[in-house]
């Protein structure tokens, strides 16, 4: 199920709200139920505005997935679905901001940052990630763009362990 609302708050400014609720069916092997994924709920809000040829956007999103059910053999050797004790997929909250500026007719540069905040689950300690990056775009023709992106991410788990990494990507659109 999906519902959304877009509100134009100014000549070049919009505010968007979205809600998504996903129901999953049960996986079967022959006639035996073996897995049922927990349902998923996502809600988001986005602010977007144009400033001349440039644009500014902010997005906040919350995702939650209920517990899965997994086939477990009972005393009679029959498989029954039982809910997992702790969720495998963590709830998480994301915020994202981007400023895209036109440098000339054929080149744009985006500056962006995001934060992702994961709650503890059966497979993951609670984790906070922060990413910053740049994304130059080059128009090679009116219909072809060369997209590039450089970003770096750093984060820390609630147990004190940390992680970091960088990504470089190039693509054609």
């Amino acid at each position: 199920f999906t519902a959304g609302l877009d509100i134009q708050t100014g000549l070049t400014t919009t505010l968007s709200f979205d809600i998504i609720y996903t129901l999953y069916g049960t996986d079967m092997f022959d006639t035996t139920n073996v897995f049922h994924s927990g349902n998923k709920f996502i809600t988001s809000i986005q602010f977007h505005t144009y400033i001349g040829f440039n644009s500014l956007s902010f997005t906040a999103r919350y995702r939650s997935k209920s517990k899965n059910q997994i086939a477990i053999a009972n005393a009679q050797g029959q498989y029954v679905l039982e809910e997992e004790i702790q969720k495998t997929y963590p709830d998480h909250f994301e915020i994202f901001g981007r400023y895209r500026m036109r440098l000339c007719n054929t080149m744009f540069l985006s500056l962006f940052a995001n934060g992702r905040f994961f709650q503890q689950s059966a497979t993951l300690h609670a984790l906070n990630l922060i990413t910053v990056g740049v994304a130059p775009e080059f128009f090679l023709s009116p219909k072809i763009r060369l997209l590039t992106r450089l970003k770096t991410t750093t984060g820390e788990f609630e147990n004190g362990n940390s992680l970091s990494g960088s990504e470089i990507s190039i693509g054609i659109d």
Side-chain angles (χ1 to χ4, degrees):
F1 306 105
T2 302
L5 175 66
D6 295 332
I7 301 169
Q8 188 166 352
T9 59
L11 188 59
T12 61
T13 303
T14 57
L15 194 57
S16 301
F17 303 90
D18 292 297
I19 295 174
I20 301 169
Y21 188 73
T22 306
L23 301 166
Y24 295 97
T26 301
D27 295 344
M28 298 182 74
F29 180 74
D30 286 334
T31 59
T32 304
N33 293 333
V34 293
F35 182 78
H36 183 85
S37 181
N39 297 331
K40 183 170 52 175
F41 172 77
I42 301 171
T43 185
S44 63
I45 183 171
Q46 179 177 4
F47 168 84
H48 190 92
T49 190
Y50 288 94
I51 306 156
F53 290 106
N54 304 333
S55 65
L56 175 67
S57 64
F58 295 100
T59 302
R61 178 178 299 120
Y62 176 75
R63 296 179 189 203
S64 179
K65 190 167 186 294
S66 54
K67 292 179 180 178
N68 298 318
Q69 294 177 344
I70 302 165
I72 305 291
N74 62 16
Q76 292 78 32
Q78 299 170 323
Y79 285 93
V80 294
L81 290 178
E82 290 192 15
E83 191 172 87
E84 59 191 359
I85 296 168
Q86 189 177 13
K87 293 180 0 173
T88 35
Y89 189 82
D91 292 350
H92 68 281
F93 176 72
E94 303 173 59
I95 54 174
F96 183 83
R98 180 180 90 157
Y99 184 68
R100 182 177 182 252
M101 61 189 114
R102 181 175 140 174
L103 301 178
C104 66
N105 286 345
T106 60
M107 186 174 170
F108 285 80
L109 179 67
S110 292
L111 306 174
F112 60 89
N114 73 353
R116 291 175 288 163
F117 310 96
F118 297 87
Q119 295 179 354
Q120 174 143 350
S121 70
T123 58
L124 181 73
H125 288 286
L127 169 66
N128 298 324
L129 295 171
I130 302 296
T131 300
V132 295
V134 296
E137 299 173 43
F138 305 92
F139 283 82
L140 304 177
S141 75
K143 294 184 179 184
I144 300 174
R145 285 186 305 164
L146 176 66
L147 306 171
T148 62
R149 181 175 60 193
L150 171 62
K151 68 180 184 177
T152 187
T153 300
T154 187
E156 187 170 309
F157 292 95
E158 75 175 350
N159 66 2
N161 291 334
S162 61
L163 60 85
S164 63
S166 298
E167 176 184 314
I168 298 173
S169 61
I170 299 173
I172 294 182
D173 180 30

